[in-house]
C-alpha cells in the first residue's frame, strides 16, 4: 500500500535463501523498479513494475535480495545487471 517513496529511498528484501524470486504490485500505488541480487550482491536483473498489477516480475537466477526503488532510479544512475551492491544486510539464519 505504498503511496510514495523519497527520491533516494529504497526497500530492501532479504529472502531466507537464494532461489528464483518474484514480485508483483497488487497493493502498490506507485511505479517501482526492482533489482534482484545474488548472494554476493551482484545484480541479476532489473525490472520496471507498474502499480496495482498482478504481473509477475522474476529474478533471472537464484536471488537472495531484492531492492525496490522509484521507477527509473537504476537506469538514471546507469546501474545494470552485473554490477555489485555492497553493505547489504545479512540473511536470516
Amino acid at each position: 500500500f505504498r503511496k510514495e517513496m523519497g527520491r533516494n529511498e529504497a526497500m530492501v528484501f532479504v529472502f531466507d535463501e537464494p532461489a528464483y524470486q518474484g514480485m508483483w504490485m497488487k497493493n502498490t500505488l506507485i511505479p517501482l523498479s526492482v533489482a534482484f541480487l545474488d548472494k554476493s550482491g551482484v545484480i541479476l536483473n532489473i525490472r520496471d513494475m507498474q502499480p496495482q498489477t498482478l504481473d509477475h516480475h522474476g529474478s533471472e537466477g537464484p536471488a537472495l535480495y531484492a531492492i525496490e526503488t522509484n521507477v527509473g532510479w537504476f537506469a538514471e544512475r546507469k546501474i545494470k545487471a552485473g554490477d555489485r551492491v555492497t553493505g547489504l544486510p545479512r540473511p536470516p539464519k
Side-chain angles (χ1 to χ4, degrees), residues 15 17-22 36 44 56 58-64:
F15 303 108
E17 58 186 51
Y20 283 86
Q21 307 292 347
F36 293 100
L44 300 167
H56 178 265
S59 64
E60 291 184 2
L64 185 58

Side-chain angles (χ1 to χ4, degrees), residues 12-31:
V12 178
F13 298 86
V14 183
F15 303 108
D16 291 334
E17 58 186 51
Y20 283 86
Q21 307 292 347
M23 300 293 215
W24 61 331
M25 298 283 286
K26 179 180 178 182
N27 295 318
T28 305
L29 306 174
I30 57 174

Side-chain angles (χ1 to χ4, degrees), residues 35-48:
F36 293 100
L37 293 75
D38 70 11
K39 65 182 180 181
S40 300
V42 174
I43 297 174
L44 300 167
N45 60 300
I46 299 171
R47 295 286 181 256
D48 291 338

Side-chain angles (χ1 to χ4, degrees), residues 69-90:
T69 64
N70 288 304
V71 73
W73 189 93
F74 296 106
E76 289 170 8
R77 289 157 181 78
K78 299 185 182 351
I79 297 170
K80 61 192 180 316
D83 290 348
R84 182 182 303 271
V85 176
T86 60
L88 293 164
R90 301 254 185 240

